[in-house]
Amino acid sequence: MKKSVALLLTLFLIIGVFTACGTDPDKDETKKADPDYTGVEIVLSDDKITVDSSEITSDKTKNVYTANDIVYYESDKDFTYGEGTETDAHSKTEADAHKVIHITKPGQYILSGTLSKGQIAVDLGDDAAENTDAVVTLVLNNLDITCEVAPAIIFYNVFECGEKEEENATNTVDTSKAGANVIIADGSENNVNGSYVARIYEPDSVVLTEDGTEVEDAKKLHKYDGAFYSKMSMNINGGNVGDGILNINAENEGLDSELHLTVNGGNINITSGNDGINTNEDNVSVTTINGGSLNILVNGTTGEGDGIDSNGWLVINGGKVVTQACALSGDAGIDSDMGVHINGGYVFATGNMLDRISESKQTFAIFNFAETQKAGTFTLKNSENTAIAENEVKNDFSYLIISTDNLTEGDYTLWQGTTQLQGISTGNIGGPDGKDFENGQNMTPPQKVEGMTPPEGVENMIHPEGMEDMAPPEGAENMTRPEKPYNEENDGEFGQHPDFKFNPGATGELSSTFTIKAGENYFSNVKTV
């Protein structure tokens, strides 16, 4: 069924591009790249870049041209230039070493070859967002591209199928007509290695404080956090078979969209310094995963990062999702400001913070560990001793989320390697009675993360046995969400979602049997038997 859906989606994109968008019949820029894909063939190399077998031009009137005009954060600028530091900045020499391959017309483009310093930049013009024909599909067919000063692939201006009005936002978004599309070609392995661009101000918009020492207000000119980035809603698709691979290695964030992102297929492996995936329109963006395989590791080079971070909603309908948040910070394997919905697929997510999972159609289990867990293989087995979820974890963590269609009602055991684990069933978050989750009652205290300082007032809230009646610190009873998302407001601190109130912790009997019921399942104080 998944292969059929992927095939139909691929055909839809191809037909849509060449009927709705069209190509210029007077230009010989449509050739057959291989038996499966039709479009403009771009072959990269450090020596010569070709477009349909002819050397690329610098003529800006062509569908594809090259220039040394990469957008990057410049070094030796003062505070009125932007919000970056010298760590974010690059010299003109570094930037000029990169070749930018510009795509300026609608169509399907097949990318292959290796470019050690360069960027693919799609820009159909300032009016493209309102033009339903402004659609570009990039077919990644054994592409290897590295950019050291900015995203390696970026969509600037294409058709935007969504809207940014918060009052109309929902967790269900149809991005099938989005202008930014990616197909991971069957049988291919693609490497996208990218950097980022820190926030640069529009020069004429900068307003200084009265003493002229700080920026009081300024509009954004550029800010591109991800190695693979889109300013517009974007679709990621597999091919007909769906066995293509996309490896994203990111200095900062991995795969980003400023509005919506939908993953329908392909095998995507992301190693990132910060968030593996980020969609960043507050209270609006929807990250939807319908199929494919996602394997995300946040390596901690920036000191923080969620596996998947949506500033709106995260909806998982299918596919395989394995994520590991940064080991050094209070970040989550799956994080969403407006709610996480698990309706299908396989989910195995680790981190040091628990974010809200609500209105999910598929049963899930959350394990809150008594101490930070080190790297190892973690396995959930059913009563027949069959593993229904198993993954190797490289990052330290204190929360594990598991959901799969094989997680049905019954008794299970949890293992770290060959060591069996035990825990307390809390029914719902924080207490065995399953009290009101929406209001954050009976929340277990955060667990200590090595090398991290807890928020003021909660230093001693790690729940030891026998202290069931310990009162929460003064003022913690009415904790509410800060104006900004918790992880942005309190960088480097640890704890649960700010909507949750602290509680002295769950009480109950430790058991090596984890009984799963349909729907939500929470287990705390998980440790070795």
Side-chain angles (χ1 to χ4, degrees):
M1 180 63 183
K2 292 178 182 176
K3 292 180 180 178
S4 298
V5 172
L7 175 60
L8 288 173
L9 180 57
T10 302
L11 291 174
F12 172 80
L13 289 171
I14 294 172
I15 293 169
V17 167
F18 292 102
T19 58
C21 298
T23 57
D24 189 338
D26 296 327
K27 293 183 179 180
D28 184 21
E29 292 189 0
T30 301
K31 291 186 179 180
K32 202 172 184 63
D34 60 40
D36 294 318
Y37 304 104
T38 302
V40 179
E41 185 179 3
I42 302 173
V43 180
L44 307 181
S45 79
D46 290 337
D47 296 328
K48 183 173 73 172
I49 299 169
T50 62
V51 180
D52 286 340
S53 301
S54 298
E55 187 168 358
I56 195 169
T57 179
S58 60
D59 183 352
K60 294 183 180 181
T61 66
K62 298 294 184 180
N63 288 18
V64 184
Y65 73 91
T66 188
N68 288 96
D69 58 352
I70 197 165
V71 174
Y72 70 104
Y73 197 94
E74 299 179 25
S75 58
D76 301 321
K77 296 290 185 178
D78 66 17
F79 70 97
T80 64
Y81 173 70
E83 295 179 359
T85 66
E86 280 304 307
T87 303
D88 307 310
H90 301 276
S91 69
K92 188 176 187 301
T93 300
E94 288 178 283
D96 285 349
H98 290 75
K99 299 175 183 177
V100 181
I101 294 88
H102 292 272
I103 295 174
T104 66
K105 298 292 190 299
Q108 183 157 283
Y109 299 83
I110 296 93
L111 305 174
S112 63
T114 300
L115 186 61
S116 61
K117 290 185 180 180
Q119 182 187 69
I120 304 295
V122 179
D123 193 342
L124 305 192
D126 294 339
D127 298 328
E130 306 298 326
N131 181 359
T132 58
D133 290 340
V135 177
V136 167
T137 299
L138 301 180
V139 179
L140 310 184
N141 194 19
N142 293 310
L143 170 72
D144 192 327
I145 185 169
T146 299
C147 186
E148 297 177 351
V149 300
I153 297 178
I154 185 167
F155 287 88
Y156 284 109
N157 293 298
V158 291
F159 174 60
E160 178 51 75
C161 63
E163 59 175 81
K164 294 186 178 182
E165 298 302 323
E166 187 173 333
E167 59 269 25
N168 298 324
T170 70
N171 64 358
T172 302
V173 172
D174 179 7
T175 61
S176 59
K177 295 182 180 179
N181 300 280
V182 176
I183 297 175
I184 306 170
D186 289 333
S188 69
E189 183 166 359
N190 306 274
N191 299 299
V192 174
N193 313 297
S195 187
Y196 63 99
V197 179
R199 187 184 183 99
I200 300 172
Y201 301 138
E202 283 189 12
D204 295 337
S205 73
V206 176
V207 178
L208 301 181
T209 55
E210 190 172 343
D211 61 4
T213 60
E214 296 180 14
V215 174
E216 186 175 85
D217 190 27
K219 294 180 180 179
K220 178 182 74 174
L221 179 61
H222 298 290
K223 184 178 186 291
Y224 313 119
D225 291 331
F228 198 131
Y229 196 91
S230 180
K231 293 184 67 177
M232 309 295 181
S233 295
M234 177 167 54
N235 297 306
I236 307 290
N237 307 289
N240 298 335
V241 178
D243 62 353
I245 299 170
L246 169 59
N247 301 312
I248 298 176
N249 299 292
E251 187 178 355
N252 189 39
E253 295 181 353
L255 178 63
D256 282 23
S257 170
E258 290 192 11
L259 195 52
H260 306 306
L261 172 67
T262 301
V263 177
N264 294 309
N267 300 286
I268 304 171
N269 305 307
I270 301 173
T271 301
S272 59
N274 207 302
D275 298 335
I277 289 178
N278 184 275
T279 48
N280 55 37
E281 185 67 24
D282 290 346
N283 305 325
V284 176
S285 286
V286 182
T287 300
T288 306
I289 301 168
N290 294 321
S293 175
L294 277 169
N295 188 4
I296 298 172
L297 176 69
V298 180
N299 61 25
T301 56
T302 67
E304 61 181 334
D306 298 303
I308 300 176
D309 180 9
S310 174
N311 288 6
W313 290 271
L314 170 59
V315 181
I316 302 172
N317 296 318
K320 183 176 183 180
V321 179
V322 178
T323 72
Q324 300 180 51
C326 178
L328 306 174
S329 60
D331 288 303
I334 48 178
D335 173 85
S336 174
D337 291 350
M338 300 295 288
V340 176
H341 300 262
I342 303 175
N343 301 321
Y346 175 99
V347 178
F348 191 102
T350 59
N352 292 311
M353 185 180 80
L354 175 61
D355 218 1
R356 181 191 303 275
I357 301 177
S358 57
E359 299 176 8
S360 295
K361 296 178 181 178
Q362 182 167 278
T363 295
F364 62 87
I366 296 175
F367 302 91
N368 180 196
F369 289 80
E371 296 180 349
T372 300
Q373 297 299 291
K374 303 298 182 180
T377 298
F378 289 79
T379 308
L380 186 66
K381 298 180 180 181
N382 63 18
S383 58
E384 297 177 354
N385 207 36
T386 300
I388 63 107
E390 181 176 72
N391 283 92
E392 180 184 358
V393 181
K394 296 181 179 179
N395 286 351
D396 294 354
F397 69 96
S398 55
Y399 284 97
L400 168 62
I401 301 170
I402 293 177
S403 182
T404 166
D405 58 5
N406 291 324
L407 186 63
T408 56
E409 291 189 339
D411 292 336
Y412 293 79
T413 55
L414 184 64
W415 302 77
Q416 180 184 24
T418 59
T419 301
Q420 190 170 1
L421 303 175
Q422 61 183 337
I424 300 171
S425 175
T426 62
N428 207 317
I429 283 194
D433 298 327
K435 295 291 181 64
D436 184 5
F437 168 55
E438 189 68 26
N439 293 325
Q441 295 177 9
N442 284 337
M443 184 67 192
T444 54
Q447 305 302 315
K448 186 174 182 180
V449 180
E450 187 176 345
M452 294 177 57
T453 303
E456 186 176 352
V458 298
E459 295 87 347
N460 300 313
M461 286 190 66
I462 308 306
H463 170 54
E465 290 185 32
M467 296 187 67
E468 294 84 356
D469 297 322
M470 185 177 76
E474 184 178 352
E477 298 83 359
N478 299 310
M479 287 181 64
T480 57
R481 178 198 291 268
E483 289 184 6
K484 293 182 180 180
Y486 180 72
N487 212 32
E488 295 179 11
E489 184 79 7
N490 302 292
D491 285 344
E493 297 181 358
F494 69 89
Q496 285 84 358
H497 192 288
D499 277 352
F500 305 151
K501 301 173 186 176
F502 292 126
N503 181 275
T507 60
E509 278 190 39
L510 284 165
S511 173
S512 58
T513 299
F514 295 88
T515 300
I516 299 293
K517 298 178 180 179
E520 307 172 358
N521 297 270
Y522 301 90
F523 303 96
S524 66
N525 205 26
V526 178
K527 54 187 177 183
T528 58
V529 172

